[in-house]
Amino acid sequence: KDPAHPSAGGEPARHAPPPEAYSRNCAKCHGAAGEGKSIYPSLVGISARPQRTAEDIVRILNDPQSYNLERRMPSFARKLSEEEKRAVAEWVASFW
């Protein structure tokens, strides 16, 4: 376990509460703290994967299929403002 990255051992790191846009639009599938639910993936540690920077996450929110994500992941291009997408992306990218 890497002490610099608290969740490296598999447990979510403690971090800031989610932005309201996440709670309203993402938590029902990805969990209140990004832990994942049922068939929906955990977002914990996602920023360690290739093409998952905050900028990538904003692009994913706009067009998930361009990242070859499951069709059940909807686009939020018209559902969230740019500021909301950025807040969600930065929060998700902060997970270790």
Side-chain angles (χ1 to χ4, degrees):
K1 188 168 183 175
D2 183 346
H5 301 98
S7 72
E11 293 183 28
R14 300 286 177 234
H15 48 76
E20 194 274 332
Y22 177 90
S23 297
R24 189 178 70 239
N25 296 281
C26 312
K28 66 184 172 195
C29 294
H30 293 289
E35 69 278 12
K37 294 170 80 177
S38 181
I39 61 171
Y40 302 100
S42 170
L43 301 175
V44 175
I46 199 81
S47 63
R49 294 179 56 196
Q51 296 183 313
R52 294 299 187 267
T53 65
E55 291 76 24
D56 289 312
I57 295 167
V58 168
R59 288 187 208 107
I60 288 169
L61 291 170
N62 284 322
D63 184 10
Q65 276 67 56
S66 71
Y67 279 74
N68 297 315
L69 297 183
E70 298 276 342
R71 291 222 175 265
R72 65 181 165 259
M73 172 68 184
S75 169
F76 289 92
R78 296 182 184 199
K79 295 176 185 172
L80 298 176
S81 70
E82 290 304 313
E83 294 78 22
E84 288 173 316
K85 287 182 270 192
R86 172 60 55 185
V88 167
E90 289 177 357
W91 185 73
V92 169
S94 74
F95 295 171
W96 281 101

